[in-house]
Amino acid sequence: MQELTELLEKAATVCGNYSRLGEELGVSRMTVNQWKTGAKPCPPEDQARIADLVGLDPVEMLVNAVLERHAGTPKGEALSRVLGKWAPTKQKAPSEVLGADANWRKRTVQGHREFHPLPDAIFNQFP
């Protein structure tokens, strides 16, 4: 839960705010808030998209989310055997990957709706 909350905070920073994050994911700001508070589970496919927004491996996040969703069930055991080879033994927390005080901002390419989060340091190299 704490990891998802941290991911949502980073993704909201990348997108500008929680409303824009919801727009990017095709859900309402209320839904994003429900994920953040734990009132509603965040679907694995949305967790993968959120991970991609903050620069984490979306496939790794998807596998972990699916395994977590079905943990302790017969389906979970079968999925663990099939998907377990893609699941890391210990996933790094977003703060370990991004840095606790990473300053990320949204960069857009004109004519494209997609954007990729990049740290300021990359853009400070160019005049």
Side-chain angles (χ1 to χ4, degrees):
M1 171 71 174
Q2 181 181 359
E3 181 178 311
L4 179 60
T5 300
E6 194 174 334
L7 278 174
L8 288 168
E9 288 172 4
K10 294 287 185 185
T13 300
V14 169
C15 292
N17 58 44
Y18 286 101
S19 293
R20 289 187 184 140
L21 173 59
E23 288 173 14
E24 182 66 30
L25 298 172
V27 300
S28 69
R29 183 185 58 76
M30 183 184 301
T31 298
V32 174
N33 189 53
Q34 289 172 332
W35 294 342
K36 185 178 171 193
T37 62
K40 184 176 182 181
C42 181
E45 57 274 15
D46 288 319
Q47 289 186 44
R49 293 186 65 206
I50 294 164
D52 187 52
L53 286 172
V54 299
L56 297 175
D57 182 1
V59 174
E60 185 177 306
M61 181 61 71
L62 181 64
V63 169
N64 283 332
V66 168
L67 292 175
E68 184 177 312
R69 180 183 221 177
H70 297 287
T73 66
K75 186 175 191 174
E77 291 174 23
L79 285 169
S80 184
R81 284 191 303 275
V82 174
L83 299 175
K85 58 187 169 189
W86 286 290
T89 54
K90 179 189 180 290
Q91 184 175 13
K92 291 183 179 179
S95 59
E96 292 178 290
V97 176
L98 301 175
D101 59 350
N103 185 14
W104 291 68
R105 61 168 90 149
K106 179 172 83 170
R107 300 293 185 190
T108 60
V109 177
Q110 191 171 7
H112 296 280
R113 190 161 183 265
E114 296 180 22
F115 62 88
H116 302 280
L118 297 171
D120 288 341
I122 290 175
F123 294 97
N124 293 338
Q125 296 175 14
F126 304 102

